[in-house]
Amino acid sequence: MTKGKCRVMNARRIRILHAADLHLGSSFASLGVDSVTGNKLRGAQRKVFRRILETARHWPADALCIAGDLFDGVHAEKDLLDEVLGMLEEAAPLPVYIAPGGSDPFVTESPYALALWPENVTVFPPGKWHAALHSGLPLTVHGLGYDGARDQELLSEGLNIPRDGRIHIAVTHGTIPDVKGEKKYAALFKHAIGANNELAYLAMGYFHETTEIGLESNTVAWSPGAPQGRNSDETKSRHILQVEITQEDGGVPCVSVMPVDVSEILFERLDLDIARAADAAALFDALCAKDPREKVVHLCLHGARPAQAEGIVTDLRNMTNSLFLYADLEDKTVIGQETLVPVRDNSCLSKLIELMGSRILDETIRENALRESEALELMLNACHTITPSTPEEGFLFS
């Protein structure tokens, strides 16, 4: 992932670690998890933040850019804020540049306005672009924070890049029209960024998937995505970006971008036909063998429900709960007539099955149909031994 013509000899090199959308302190209430699991997921977010700082130290990076949504809200709990400030202070002398985003805007009551940030941290306020000069390298970082006004237009025309022989990058949180079909959200305008041909790299936040943003200029623009998943839409490995910029005297900067997996807990989506429920154990084992990290799994069950389907669903719930940190089973199975009326005869049981089956098939609300189907299954289970005889004889009980 390289842009520009690179020759390593006689070229200066600058390394930027680019992260965004950590959403520290997320509630995870929408997942329906208990408090213990919620605390573990929030702890995973903090571990990922520490891993980002460790990566910056060991790579090593010349600067860390955080392009918005470091926190999940305007207010951060004191213990979380203290831990974040402590980790950033420990990272010194690494320069850290933060552009507040849509979830954690720079407003009067936010930690960005109230907290005492370490000397190695620059927090960019909203309103206009600000430039920060790296103390030891010919690097200028331009930043623009977000103030929470969803309908404002960021002053992209204020991003003026001088031809001063330095390497210039910019960091902000927002989107650009036409990228992934997105509309304006604290929007940077593509043509305005394109006019700044001296800008080597644009560090963006907002997209929760790793996204390269094409610009009509030499500027390379990326959004790294959320480094720790928070729901079943943010599956598999999550990334930060190692950005290396090299430049010969007077030449066009060469920018290479390398995603780095930093996830602590993986979110996964699995689809399973209920007819293949017997294969579920092998499917889960393969998933665990592929990556040993803990997982939060959303299992979507589909296909035609066989007789006694509720027992299959219960077994799957028990299996996923024993293997994964948390599992959510979505039942999209279809109730078919052939599974409800296995034998048509004059026995009482057959008549009851036929009556309940008709009610289930006529039910327009799927949840009600499932409840009635489960009731039918419970009734059949109560008849301990059901021995199918010939179709003419119907069911025999003992």
Side-chain angles (χ1 to χ4, degrees), residues 107-338:
V107 292
T108 55
E109 66 270 27
S110 73
Y112 298 121
L114 298 176
L116 183 62
W117 292 80
E119 291 184 0
N120 61 313
V121 177
T122 298
V123 177
F124 293 110
K128 65 177 183 179
W129 288 92
H130 294 77
L133 275 63
H134 192 288
S135 60
L137 293 170
L139 171 68
T140 301
V141 180
H142 304 262
L144 178 60
Y146 187 47
D147 67 359
R150 293 290 175 111
D151 58 349
Q152 81 169 27
E153 296 179 358
L154 294 188
L155 305 176
S156 54
E157 64 272 14
L159 180 57
N160 297 314
I161 310 298
R163 292 192 175 186
D164 56 5
R166 299 173 66 85
I167 290 177
H168 292 263
I169 68 171
V171 55
T172 194
H173 185 89
T175 187
I176 293 175
D178 303 327
V179 176
K180 288 192 172 182
E182 292 285 346
K183 301 299 183 183
K184 185 170 58 182
Y185 169 88
L188 289 163
F189 293 107
K190 200 169 182 178
H191 69 276
I193 296 298
N196 291 281
N197 290 322
E198 299 301 314
L199 187 66
Y201 184 73
L202 174 59
M204 297 284 292
Y206 176 73
F207 297 117
H208 281 206
E209 297 297 324
T210 305
T211 304
E212 182 178 12
I213 302 168
L215 299 177
E216 298 169 359
S217 70
N218 292 324
T219 301
V220 176
W222 281 79
S223 183
Q228 171 58 55
R230 295 191 301 153
N231 53 57
S232 59
D233 292 328
E234 300 174 7
T235 59
K236 305 187 184 302
S237 297
R238 318 298 299 174
H239 302 94
I240 57 175
L241 300 175
Q242 289 179 338
V243 182
E244 190 167 292
I245 305 171
T246 56
Q247 183 185 36
E248 293 188 49
D249 291 339
V252 175
C254 170
V255 180
S256 64
V257 179
M258 178 64 66
V260 178
D261 178 4
V262 292
S263 305
E264 177 72 12
I265 294 173
L266 301 183
F267 281 70
E268 300 282 356
R269 291 183 67 95
L270 298 175
D271 289 307
L272 181 66
D273 191 320
I274 194 169
R276 301 196 62 187
D279 301 330
L283 174 66
F284 298 154
D285 288 344
L287 184 65
C288 294
K290 184 177 180 181
D291 195 309
R293 284 176 285 189
E294 286 192 293
K295 295 174 181 65
V296 174
V297 172
H298 178 86
L299 177 63
C300 183
L301 194 62
H302 56 87
R305 290 174 72 89
Q308 312 298 307
E310 188 56 28
I312 297 173
V313 174
T314 300
D315 289 344
L316 286 172
R317 289 187 196 278
N318 293 336
M319 191 186 307
T320 54
N321 288 334
S322 66
L323 288 173
F324 306 119
L325 174 64
Y326 178 76
D328 174 34
L329 192 150
E330 182 182 10
D331 187 353
K332 286 190 174 182
T333 54
V334 178
I335 301 171
Q337 184 172 4
E338 65 279 1

Side-chain angles (χ1 to χ4, degrees), residues 31-47:
L31 292 181
V33 299
D34 58 28
S35 59
V36 173
T37 304
N39 287 335
K40 189 159 190 175
L41 290 168
R42 282 184 287 275
Q45 291 181 311
R46 298 187 189 195
K47 288 181 180 179

